[in-house]
Amino acid sequence: MVLPFLPFSHKIAFPGVTGFHLTLAVLLLLKFWTPSWLSFGIVATAWVFFKGFSSLPFLVGGLLLGRNYTPTWLSILAVTATWIIFQRFVASGFRWPFFYPTFGVQQRGAGKVALITGASGGIGLETAIHLVEEGCKVVVTARTRAKCDLAIRNIRKALSPELRDKAVIHALELEFLSLANVRRFVDEFKALNLPLDILINNAGDPYPPVNGEWQMSSDGIETTIQSNFLGPMVLTNLLKDMLRASHGRVVILGSDCAECISVAECRRLMSEHPNFNSNAIYAFSKLLDQIWANNLTKEFEAEARPPLVNVYTVHPGVVRTNIRRHEPINKRDGYIGKVLRFFHGIHDLLQSKTPFEGCLTTMYCALADKNVLVNGGYYCDEHVHSLPPAAMDDKLEAEVMAWAHQLISQRINIDGMPVARPTGVTADVGKPQEQTSVGDGDVKGGLRQRVSSAVKQAVDTTGITQADKTSQLVR
């Protein structure tokens, strides 16, 4: 169960802003000689200016100012406690602990087979555990055999004793940084003789092992782009027939940082060679995922109505996992590094989701009735949200799919990869050209109309910040 939809519920309150409110509130609390009318005026003005809930601690501090007999220590404690509670409330996706769902009761996944990539820890592991509790047979992937074995042990350890022995769990090695390895994995998966009802493209990596330096895969492609975009695309295309046969669904983990990349920047990143910036590359890869999801949705809708396979994109939020293990702050040595990691840990504790909270929207899109979900929708905190502007640009979509086709076809032979490569687009992606649309006009407009109608009553308060200029993708 979740609270009623709030248009900004997928945004984490920025620590600098809320810290400013807290500091100002404490300063005002210490000045008890400030007239009550002035205190309330300042509080009300700030509350309106900063748009409501992000100033809630400031408002509470101002209300306490009106009670001059309140001890200073109690006022400061109340403001601090309110700020901490609110930060956790925002980070969790506007949930209180007693609103968390209980898995395993309805058995919504009974008889289904789910494939989850990158399930050795974090969101993927939590998702696998709860899919098993819901009755699914689960196949998880990890980069090494040791991680595969560890994932199976951790999943079984988290299950109840009565479910632990009868759960069907398989673990296979999968390394997205080798497209040939992806093909080998698909052969091994098909050898299990299982259907495929749910494909969750969870695996991803935002930072290369050596931040600030180019890291190329064995296929000669930048590692973040291959791990987050090209590898999952190849995997999904190789499994399309199995998904069609079971009327399955594809869940792709995206990120709201995709909004930071404009259409012009996306084109630039596909063709130019600027300095490396890991944050912008990660945002770019997530925009590519959203564009690919839109293209995949149109493809399945063009084949049949209703489509045989449904596609959803999920923004899990900022989640405390080891996905950021290669961040520069985690590699600093000495006293300064320890201090920075300490405060960074406090920040994560207050403003990040737990892996359980992070998997809830993935679980929702994987198991909810298809009639309830919006096909092609972009979900966060179990609600559909507006798509990034660049993701809805049809001309850019055609260019991205042609670019992906070029990268993949040069390295591995997959018939029809990607499907419906638009005519009129050459492999020289850096030069914009006239494109033909993907699919018929009804299919092309259908996705935009469905998503727009699903969020028409929500106010999109997101400010799109331009990303740092980045990066060379292929050498």
Side-chain angles (χ1 to χ4, degrees), residues 37-50 52 55 58-59 62:
W37 65 269
L38 180 58
S39 298
F40 282 117
I42 294 173
V43 169
T45 301
W47 187 76
V48 172
F49 181 76
F50 287 107
S55 297
F58 193 31
L59 179 61

Side-chain angles (χ1 to χ4, degrees), residues 260-331:
C260 298
I261 304 296
S262 67
V263 172
E265 287 169 325
C266 184
R267 287 196 175 103
R268 223 163 58 82
L269 295 178
M270 289 192 295
S271 59
E272 293 187 7
H273 302 232
N275 294 329
F276 183 82
N277 183 305
S278 56
N279 290 323
I281 283 292
Y282 180 71
F284 176 51
S285 72
K286 290 304 178 181
L287 175 61
L288 296 177
D289 280 336
Q290 186 63 69
I291 292 173
W292 163 49
N294 294 345
N295 183 268
L296 196 61
T297 301
K298 294 173 186 177
E299 176 190 340
F300 287 127
E301 288 187 343
E303 294 174 349
R305 293 292 185 92
L308 298 179
V309 182
N310 289 57
V311 182
Y312 312 103
T313 313
V314 168
H315 169 52
V318 180
V319 186
R320 293 195 297 273
T321 69
N322 66 351
I323 192 171
R324 293 182 290 173
R325 62 192 178 277
H326 296 307
E327 279 185 321
I329 193 173
N330 294 322
K331 296 187 175 184

Side-chain angles (χ1 to χ4, degrees), residues 364-377:
Y364 177 69
C365 291
L367 295 177
D369 192 306
K370 289 184 178 181
N371 295 324
V372 176
L373 300 172
V374 177
N375 187 34

Side-chain angles (χ1 to χ4, degrees), residues 378-437:
Y378 170 55
Y379 280 84
C380 179
D381 295 328
E382 302 181 30
H383 293 286
V384 67
H385 287 259
S386 56
L387 296 164
M392 297 305 295
D393 188 292
D394 295 319
K395 188 174 181 180
L396 178 64
E397 178 185 318
E399 294 176 20
V400 167
M401 298 309 291
W403 177 70
H405 180 276
Q406 177 194 32
L407 293 180
I408 294 169
S409 61
Q410 290 175 350
R411 292 159 175 84
I412 186 172
N413 182 24
I414 301 178
D415 293 336
M417 172 66 201
V419 172
R421 180 187 178 190
T423 58
V425 179
T426 69
D428 192 2
V429 185
K431 301 177 181 178
Q433 303 179 26
E434 290 300 320
Q435 324 289 329
T436 58
S437 60

